[in-house]
Amino acid sequence: MGEQWRAQFDAEVSFANGGGLRTEGFRLDIPGQEITDDELAAVFVRHLGLLMVAEVRISAKSIIEEPHKGGRGVAVGQPTPGRRLIELSHVISDGMTTLPGWPRPRVSDWLTFAASRDRYAPGTEFHVARIDLIANTGTYVDTPAHRWAGADDLTGVSLDRLADLPGVVVRVPAGTRAVDRLMLAPYEVAGCAVLLHTGWDVHFGTERYGAAEAPHLTGDAARALVDAGAVLVGIDSINIDEMSPTAGGERPAHSTLLAAGIPIVEHLTGLDALPPAGFRFTAAPPMVAGMGTFPVRAFAVVNP
């Protein structure tokens, strides 16, 4: 297994939303004998899963040759911590509900293992499934053609609007219905995928998911994101626009963002696992001509 090292240190943590945390004599697995205070702070934050950290001050640091105990900062037996891939999509399954009242997907066999045996050499068999679904199923992307006739569809939106984008998470306070311009003001979003973390995804698949109080983005906030240079906007709610009867069927966020060529990803999940920034976001659909929406495998890459 070779030499393994742990750090013992005191830490003082300040949080961006107020408050702090102090530890004394904390011991933590580290990837090697040499580690800077900044590197140790990053491993410490990952190990504890701390969110909204503004600053970590390390003191009284010493390095000890000691077997690893295991932790999220450093994998046991690995020389360096690796990148993390974070799933941000809902599973699509037979009969599931994405939007209440809309058709559900049907998953079936087109070719079974048993039926395929007559087609191939002995011992060789294959399975081919079939899925029948509407485009707005699970976690999906809206392209301009979803809202505007003749605009770019799935084939017209370039990958630099959908894949490997620098990401920013906007943490929306619990109970907030409308995400407005002022809530976005603290964030630098130019060139970024802006992901609105409302926490509403916990209701996915239930009647409450489609309730009138579901969080949404206001039209004014959508205009602010366009003006600030965002390249994609996502949300973990049922719709980026308000869907209550009082909205009167208007969709200002869709209209504004898609008119500006900014894709929208709806029905995200797992945004609580992301750091505030410093990750890469991907939500790329297949290139299907004539379609404005389609399910995606949305995910984030968080590098060490």
Side-chain angles (χ1 to χ4, degrees):
M1 182 177 296
E3 296 178 340
Q4 292 187 341
W5 302 90
R6 307 188 79 212
Q8 179 172 304
F9 58 96
D10 299 342
E12 185 175 354
V13 182
S14 300
F15 293 99
N17 60 341
L21 172 72
R22 288 182 59 86
T23 67
E24 295 182 359
F26 197 93
R27 289 198 181 189
L28 188 62
D29 298 349
I30 57 176
Q33 187 176 4
E34 302 291 332
I35 189 168
T36 67
D37 286 357
D38 287 346
E39 291 167 342
L40 181 58
V43 175
F44 176 72
V45 168
R46 283 199 299 273
H47 177 75
L48 295 183
L50 300 177
L51 300 177
M52 302 184 73
V53 173
E55 184 181 9
V56 178
R57 292 178 289 280
I58 301 292
S59 59
K61 181 179 70 177
S62 61
I63 306 301
I64 306 161
E65 185 176 358
E66 186 175 79
H68 284 175
K69 306 301 182 184
R72 285 183 287 184
V74 177
V76 174
Q78 297 297 319
T80 57
R83 67 176 187 170
R84 291 185 294 146
L85 292 171
I86 299 177
E87 180 66 65
L88 302 175
S89 301
H90 289 287
V91 174
I92 295 176
S93 59
D94 183 62
M96 67 172 286
T97 297
T98 300
L99 297 164
W102 290 42
R104 303 181 180 190
R106 296 300 173 195
V107 182
S108 58
D109 295 323
W110 182 79
L111 182 68
T112 65
F113 282 119
S116 76
R117 291 167 191 160
D118 292 338
R119 301 186 178 203
Y120 303 101
T124 302
E125 57 187 26
F126 294 94
H127 173 256
V128 179
R130 172 174 178 167
I131 184 167
D132 296 279
L133 51 71
I134 62 170
N136 293 38
T137 298
T139 303
Y140 55 81
V141 65
D142 294 342
T143 67
H146 177 52
R147 172 65 180 85
W148 302 104
D152 287 338
D153 62 9
L154 297 173
T155 68
V157 177
S158 62
L159 284 175
D160 60 8
R161 290 271 176 169
L162 299 165
D164 196 31
L165 305 172
V168 172
V169 176
V170 176
R171 307 288 186 198
V172 179
T176 300
R177 283 200 61 218
V179 180
D180 211 338
R181 177 185 289 260
L182 280 179
M183 197 169 293
L184 303 174
Y187 299 90
E188 296 291 340
V189 304
C192 292
V194 181
L195 309 181
L196 307 178
H197 175 212
T198 72
W200 201 251
D201 57 320
V202 299
H203 304 299
F204 187 82
T206 71
E207 291 185 6
R208 182 163 173 73
Y209 190 65
E213 65 268 25
H216 61 276
L217 185 71
T218 69
D220 186 47
R223 171 50 56 189
L225 289 173
V226 172
D227 293 343
V231 296
L232 178 148
V233 181
I235 192 169
D236 59 358
S237 186
I238 188 169
N239 200 297
I240 203 164
D241 273 299
E242 182 179 9
M243 293 181 65
S244 71
T246 59
E250 294 186 357
R251 296 292 186 266
H254 274 92
S255 300
T256 299
L257 294 172
L258 296 178
I262 298 175
I264 299 167
V265 181
E266 294 175 314
H267 310 280
L268 287 163
T269 189
L271 296 181
D272 57 319
L274 293 179
F279 62 91
R280 311 292 293 190
F281 177 77
T282 294
M287 296 179 68
V288 184
M291 296 189 72
T293 63
F294 207 84
V296 294
R297 184 76 178 267
F299 64 91
V301 179
V302 182
N303 288 310

